[in-house]
Amino acid sequence: MTSSSGNKDFRDQLGKFRLESPNVSSPVAWSQSPTTTFPKPSPRSYQPSSPSSSLQQPPPDSAPTPDPTSSTPSARSKRVSTACDFCRKRKKKCDFRYPNCSACTRAGVRCTIPPPGPQVASASVPRDQLETLQKRVRWLEEVVRRKMGVSVADLATGTPVDGEGDPDWWYQVPAMIATGGSRSSVGSMLSPVGSGSSAATPGLAAISESPTGVGVELPNVGEILRDQLENRRPSVARPAVAPRVLRLSSLEEAERVAGQYFDSIGYQYPFLSRPEFFGHLRHIYTGGVPTPEVHNTYHIIIAISLLIGSAEPAQAAEFYRASQETLSLALQNEDLPSIRALLGLALYTMFATAGPSIWHVLGATLRLAISMGLHKARSYPTMMEEEMAKRAFWSLYNLDRLIASTLGRPLGVPDDDISVGLPRELNDDGLEAPGASAMTIPLQVIRLRRIFSRIYQYLYSNLPQPSPQEVAATLGQFRREVDEWRMAAPVYPSALLYSTSYYDYLYYTTLLLMYRPSPRNPTPDATSIVSCGDSSIQVVRSYWDSYSVGKLKWIWLTLSQVYFAGITILWCLEQNARCLRDSRPAPWHPDEQMMRRGIQAVVVLLEQFGKRRPGVDRLAETFRHQSTTIFSQMAYRQQQLEHQQQHQHQHQHHVQPLMPPQPSVTLAPPPPPPVPLAPVLDDVLLVDGSGVMPIIDPQMAEQLYYSYNWFQEEMASYYTL
């Protein structure tokens, strides 16, 4: 029985190489027959229903013969002889035994067969050479499975790997769910391109392990049928092209410029491997021809670094245009190189005024990452592949949260749908160093972004407005989490700028997002007003420190944060004025000099932005006018308060002399005192001396203090975000 089974397997293997039409004994070939009109049964449970179409098992010493009573085309397929050379010469029937047939064994000769395919040589080959070829085919199939995630071991030769050869291949899914089919027989063929079978069908494990064939939960059919539903292209090798390569003056100059990227933006978004990038960089500058994905990454990173270093914009634009020449090839497959290419494009558009919309680029990147399953916990062939996939996803997550909150738009992927773990704290040499590695800083940023996301989803949504007590309790819990994050932030000695000042900046921007007026908390309480004002001053101070040392990034993101912090300070001062008008104590008592210098810094930064970005000069002028109005009101109120206190003091200590009664005379009220000039803020804020009480336009006040959307929409429209 074992010999018969072995002979049949051997003949089937020969049929895969030598038969032009599928063998009738193959279940896959049966299901692919063009004349089959009835529903396809499961290959595991297939049984012929009529004696006329049944296929009998051939005897051990005879070759398989088709049933003469069968009327199907596959049953009448042409038989191809595989007799050995010895039997063919003697014109005897060969029993196909392996590795020697019976006739060759009795004659004591080596059993050989003609080479498959066209007769390219007259010499015969040993029969056991097929075994060597089969082993090599299995090795190549395993290489394809590891590199591309495509299991081709059960597919016939010539079958397209994307499933288009059999458009009804997914008919096996119901039988697999009902019977608990093994993943090796069915699941491997259904695994999507670009992902292993273990990650593609997570629900199958429970079904396979269940003794009754019924799992705890059904498999994700959407992921099983993903390639068919999305009409995805199979992953193919990118062509080796040699487009133009731009180079800086020397390799040392290129390494210095690239180092600026990895020492700044690379800390925040570590989706590239620094050693790998510099290896490709040296290869390019020694005359090597880069692959399309390397070509694209090299040019876009150099372009970003030139923009960060405030170099000539024309040079950065030239490197950007060079990167676009291989962008389509870099995006050819749905894999990590495509994710990296899109992330590089998003970072460039964040720093440049040209290029596509960063909002649209991030949306496409998120959909690609989710389609690849990067947001889910899954297994990878190697640890480094897993780590680079995690770094790419969390870099994308960080960017999505930042851009969505700045533009007042929804988050790209909910936190509840994310199950992938955080990256490990690995150095460039692959050694883990918790608290002191190149991944320490981005990990700390990601932890804050996750708190940031929950704050944003709670406050900036269309859910019903909660009670003030619920808001106060929830904000208190968020504040404790943010404070714990700041206290636990590790100090990384080799990058103090990113472990102290950068942490403080992120801390205060998060508090600013949490306490400023929002859709679900439109009228913050006194605690929120104080926190808003103090956080805004610290945010402005952080940007001013960068500006003082010449390291401020003149990008729309910086403009947005500076403006938000500035108008929040004005909003807090307006809240103080309202409380005074209502005879209530002012909630916010900032340091007078620090507060005024904060307003002055915002005016200066907006004016500098106006010199670099057209259209910002109008915004700077509006902010300056509103600041002047508020300070004039403050000065007027302060003078009234001092006059009132002085009058009360004189009334209490002045002794009125006794005078004879005089007839009453109605006198006109004294004229109001002129409105004093607002104090000069280091020769920046000036007002006129007209003496007219300045009043803020109610519509402007509403836009300025209680709605951030108008500025977000204007900025997004202008910068095509």
Side-chain angles (χ1 to χ4, degrees):
M1 190 68 181
T2 305
S3 176
S4 174
S5 176
N7 291 338
K8 184 177 183 302
D9 293 339
F10 173 67
R11 288 191 296 272
D12 288 344
Q13 291 293 332
L14 288 178
K16 288 184 179 182
F17 286 97
R18 304 195 60 188
L19 296 182
E20 295 296 334
S21 59
N23 195 321
V24 67
S25 62
S26 172
V28 177
W30 178 278
S31 66
Q32 292 178 344
S33 174
T35 60
T36 303
T37 58
F38 47 84
K40 301 177 183 179
S42 171
R44 298 174 58 88
S45 61
Y46 167 70
Q47 295 292 339
S49 59
S50 63
S52 62
S53 60
S54 63
L55 300 177
Q56 302 296 330
Q57 177 71 21
D61 296 332
S62 63
T65 56
D67 188 355
T69 63
S70 175
S71 59
T72 61
S74 57
R76 296 195 301 269
S77 61
K78 178 182 177 181
R79 180 183 176 196
V80 179
S81 173
T82 56
C84 68
D85 292 332
F86 184 73
C87 293
R88 288 166 60 89
K89 289 180 181 180
R90 297 173 59 245
K91 297 184 179 180
K92 297 293 184 180
K93 186 176 181 179
C94 184
D95 60 6
F96 304 102
R97 288 185 178 275
Y98 180 80
N100 285 336
C101 69
S102 300
C104 291
T105 301
R106 289 193 297 268
V109 298
R110 190 175 187 181
C111 188
T112 61
I113 60 174
Q119 300 293 335
V120 295
S122 58
S124 298
V125 296
R127 189 187 293 270
D128 58 359
Q129 184 174 349
L130 283 177
E131 183 177 3
T132 302
L133 294 175
Q134 290 169 1
K135 290 180 179 179
R136 184 166 183 82
V137 167
R138 285 195 293 270
W139 174 73
L140 293 173
E141 289 172 346
E142 180 64 17
V143 171
V144 172
R145 188 191 68 80
R146 289 179 177 273
K147 296 294 184 182
M148 300 177 57
V150 181
S151 179
V152 297
D154 298 328
L155 301 181
T157 304
T159 302
V161 296
D162 57 357
E164 292 181 0
D166 183 7
D168 297 328
W169 61 266
W170 45 267
Y171 77 94
Q172 302 177 57
V173 174
M176 177 187 63
I177 296 176
T179 61
S182 64
R183 298 175 63 178
S184 60
S185 61
V186 180
S188 61
M189 187 176 69
L190 299 179
S191 60
V193 176
S195 61
S197 58
S198 61
T201 55
L204 297 182
I207 294 179
S208 301
E209 296 171 359
S210 175
T212 62
V214 180
V216 178
E217 60 182 21
L218 293 176
N220 190 330
V221 179
E223 291 188 4
I224 296 175
L225 306 180
R226 182 185 62 172
D227 295 349
Q228 294 292 321
L229 296 174
E230 298 181 4
N231 298 318
R232 292 162 62 112
R233 302 187 308 272
S235 296
V236 296
R238 292 177 174 86
V241 297
R244 66 182 182 125
V245 179
L246 297 182
R247 294 180 176 86
L248 298 175
S249 58
S250 63
L251 174 60
E252 292 74 16
E253 176 67 11
E255 290 179 340
R256 183 191 66 80
V257 172
Q260 292 179 348
Y261 169 85
F262 284 97
D263 291 337
S264 55
I265 301 301
Y267 274 117
Q268 303 176 46
Y269 311 105
F271 60 91
L272 291 177
S273 169
R274 183 169 186 159
E276 182 180 6
F277 180 86
F278 277 87
H280 292 316
L281 185 70
R282 288 186 287 270
H283 175 70
I284 292 174
Y285 278 78
T286 54
V289 178
T291 59
E293 60 268 30
V294 172
H295 178 278
N296 174 267
T297 300
Y298 158 73
H299 286 91
I300 199 70
I301 294 303
I302 295 297
I304 296 172
S305 186
L306 290 174
L307 289 177
I308 295 174
S310 301
E312 179 63 32
Q315 188 181 20
E318 185 65 21
F319 272 87
Y320 167 72
R321 285 191 291 268
S323 71
Q324 300 306 291
E325 296 177 4
T326 51
L327 180 61
S328 59
L329 294 176
L331 301 178
Q332 173 178 288
N333 298 327
E334 298 186 5
D335 51 13
L336 274 182
S338 297
I339 296 289
R340 297 189 191 107
L342 290 173
L343 284 173
L345 182 61
L347 289 180
Y348 178 83
T349 58
M350 187 168 68
F351 284 91
T353 55
S357 163
I358 188 174
W359 176 255
H360 296 161
V361 173
L362 287 179
T365 313
L366 270 170
R367 281 158 179 78
L368 176 57
I370 294 172
S371 179
M372 293 171 56
L374 296 186
H375 65 304
K376 297 293 186 182
R378 46 174 298 192
S379 59
Y380 290 85
T382 64
M383 182 188 69
M384 285 310 300
E385 291 184 35
E386 179 180 3
E387 289 304 307
M388 294 310 298
K390 289 181 178 179
R391 294 183 185 186
F393 173 76
W394 288 112
S395 298
L396 177 59
Y397 177 94
N398 190 3
L399 263 178
D400 171 71
R401 268 44 186 173
L402 178 63
I403 302 304
S405 61
T406 303
L407 297 179
R409 295 174 180 174
L411 302 179
V413 54
D415 287 78
D416 295 340
D417 292 340
I418 300 173
S419 62
V420 64
L422 297 179
R424 300 169 64 180
E425 296 187 55
L426 300 177
N427 279 323
D428 292 337
D429 55 5
L431 299 178
E432 193 165 7
S437 73
M439 286 298 299
T440 299
I441 294 171
L443 273 178
Q444 192 67 14
V445 175
I446 292 171
R447 294 188 181 101
L448 179 63
R449 291 298 184 200
R450 303 201 75 171
I451 305 174
F452 186 96
S453 298
R454 291 190 288 113
I455 296 173
Y456 188 76
Q457 289 177 312
Y458 177 77
L459 293 174
Y460 298 85
S461 67
N462 293 326
L463 296 175
Q465 186 173 334
S467 63
Q469 294 78 12
E470 178 188 340
V471 171
T474 305
L475 293 185
Q477 176 61 31
F478 283 143
R479 179 62 182 267
R480 285 189 291 272
E481 293 184 35
V482 175
D483 289 345
E484 291 174 0
W485 171 88
R486 183 62 189 91
M487 296 299 296
V491 176
Y492 189 26
S494 61
L496 288 177
L497 176 62
Y498 279 90
S499 60
T500 55
S501 300
Y502 185 55
Y503 289 153
D504 291 336
Y505 164 76
L506 293 176
Y507 173 78
Y508 288 116
T509 53
T510 304
L511 294 184
L512 185 57
L513 175 86
M514 182 168 61
Y515 286 116
R516 75 189 188 195
S518 59
R520 302 194 72 201
N521 187 26
T523 56
D525 56 10
T527 302
S528 298
I529 295 173
V530 173
S531 300
C532 264
D534 294 342
S535 300
S536 299
I537 292 176
Q538 295 299 328
V539 170
V540 173
R541 181 178 179 181
S542 175
Y543 280 112
W544 183 260
D545 291 342
S546 299
Y547 171 74
S548 301
V549 296
K551 293 185 177 181
L552 184 67
K553 300 177 178 64
W554 301 100
I555 60 177
W556 65 268
L557 193 62
T558 302
L559 170 63
S560 175
Q561 295 290 353
V562 169
Y563 182 77
F564 281 168
I567 62 175
T568 304
I569 295 175
L570 299 185
W571 177 79
C572 293
L573 294 176
E574 174 67 11
Q575 294 302 307
N576 281 352
R578 291 193 176 197
C579 291
L580 292 176
R581 286 196 297 268
D582 297 338
S583 301
R584 292 182 290 116
W588 188 38
H589 302 280
D591 180 87
E592 185 76 12
Q593 183 178 5
M594 184 177 295
M595 180 266 295
R596 292 181 179 274
R597 289 189 177 275
I599 295 294
Q600 172 194 348
V602 173
V603 173
V604 172
L605 292 176
L606 291 180
E607 290 179 346
Q608 292 298 318
F609 262 105
K611 298 177 181 178
R612 294 169 171 83
R613 297 287 186 268
V616 183
D617 50 350
R618 251 184 332 116
L619 184 67
E621 182 61 30
T622 301
F623 182 85
R624 180 177 180 141
H625 170 71
Q626 300 300 330
S627 303
T628 301
T629 302
I630 288 180
F631 278 102
S632 297
Q633 285 185 327
M634 290 175 57
Y636 179 73
R637 296 297 179 187
Q638 183 67 26
Q639 184 181 15
Q640 281 188 326
L641 181 61
E642 292 177 356
H643 180 74
Q644 182 179 3
Q645 292 176 349
Q646 183 180 5
H647 179 73
Q648 292 178 353
H649 181 75
Q650 292 178 355
H651 180 73
Q652 293 175 357
H653 294 84
H654 182 67
V655 180
Q656 295 288 343
L658 295 176
M659 297 289 294
Q662 300 289 334
S664 60
V665 179
T666 303
L667 301 176
V675 177
L677 296 179
V680 177
L681 258 64
D682 298 342
D683 299 329
V684 174
L685 295 180
L686 301 174
V687 294
D688 57 17
S690 60
V692 180
M693 176 65 184
I695 299 177
I696 300 179
D697 180 14
Q699 183 178 1
M700 177 61 71
E702 180 69 22
Q703 291 178 342
L704 187 64
Y705 301 134
Y706 304 106
S707 175
Y708 293 82
N709 294 333
W710 70 276
F711 174 66
Q712 293 167 336
E713 294 173 358
E714 288 292 328
M715 185 173 60
S717 301
Y718 184 79
Y719 286 104
T720 65
L721 303 177

